[in-house]
Amino acid sequence: MDKLSLIRTTNLNLQYHLVQMIARWWLAILLSLHLILFCTLLAIALTPHTVRADDPDCSARLRTAAAVSFDDQKVGPDTLLYQSVYTEMNWAGDIIATCLDVRGDKTPCLCEDWSGLLEECSDPFTPGFPEIKWSADTLAWKIDTDLNKDPEDGWWRRRKIITYNDQAMKGVPFDYLSISDKQRKWLRHDPDLLAFIRGDRSLENIRFRKRSSYYGDFIHFTPLWYSSILLAGANDGMLHVFDEQSGHEYFSYVPNLLYSKWHPETSTTGSPSEKLALLGDTNYQENHQFYVDGPVAVTYLEDRATTILAGSLGRGGLGIYTLNLFGIRETDDIEAHAADIVMWEYPDPSRDGFQIIDGRFARVDPAVDESTDTYSETVTALSTDPYLGRVFGAPKIVKLPFPDEDGYRWCVVFGNGYHSLNQTPVLYVLDAYDGSLIRRVLTTKQEEADPSVSGSSCNPEFGCNGLSSPVLVDENEDGII
């Protein structure tokens, strides 16, 4: 073969391989598009379309699939798929449990009857959709429209809802007499507004906005299954805890961090403004807010038989909240045990210890060398911590080595998030049991964030910054990070 023929053959081989490579790329793109189309059609197919008396214009039917999760890591004949959905029309939301077969396809739900035989047990209130086992919104509607119930015994009165009293520093029922004076102020000293947030619909279109569902919109929160319960945060101000099989709502939690809001990313002056109260405003359609918008993590702490849930608020606010879910399914009166269930929130000015130095609030903590940190009265009114931003990742609940104790301590670890006052990336380490600050690790030089910069403390010379969710590694696999 002469040199010219060899060159031509080589060029033809290169062209052939190039065509093959382009074909593979196009095939990958087409397969990806088909997968996206399939997931979209699955989401649409799993959405029930029922007409209810309280939704005559069918606005609750115009839904968007937000996220899905499963009750097991392996798909089997008893697998349930949990789907959160929402609609921008009236900002309505729902959680739907759908039965799947071994192939992952939706299938009519089957349960054992009294004799042990299998029979269809799908939600009777979503006719035509035998694969739907329950819908949280439909269950609430059923209770609220039960003709046999006492007119004064609506769904919203039966619900178990708890919150964190920032004055008493403990969990309490979410009712007007149990919350603090400051919390009543943020709710405009209006018991009817609190009842509306609990789910009372008697004053809709009279004093408060009209809702087309019993739950708020679930947008960014992916439902989390843990030990027969389902956790879902919504933009109705609550984290909801459901029974995985029946859809019964065990209880809901309203973080104290959501009663008011402050915008460190836009201003270093001014005062906090109301947030939870906005849920009832007639212009809420145009003034939608995020509330329990961040993910949660759940871990069993064998030391004290505690199942700790630690959650962030995402776009909803600045801070972390924790609950003890141990034995929650066997607890008859959730509200009576609110103090045992609610563990702590961070930040908490009442707990974290502040004193006034030269007219400013300064944190005094011998365990942390932060003597130069000062906090303006504006910050203390809500956040007390200028390094804390909007945390979008789930906190990590881990053991860290502490030689002065049992060799370790359970801690909650998270990045400070984005849009903090100081615009500095910081790693937080909190005590898992009481929420006290153990360490706050600055991952960049403090001079890179200049608090004297007008408008926000972000220094344009260095750029704005924050720390996302950290990845923790147990190098020797002894259970201690």
Side-chain angles (χ1 to χ4, degrees), residues 281-298:
D281 287 355
T282 55
N283 68 338
Y284 186 78
Q285 180 67 35
E286 299 78 30
N287 188 34
H288 174 264
Q289 303 287 310
F290 291 103
Y291 290 90
V292 183
D293 185 60
V296 300
V298 184

Side-chain angles (χ1 to χ4, degrees), residues 231 239 296-299 307-311 321-325 397:
L231 307 161
L239 173 78
V296 300
V298 184
T299 302
T307 302
I308 181 174
L309 175 151
Y321 63 93
T322 57
L323 304 173
N324 180 9
L325 299 180
I397 308 168

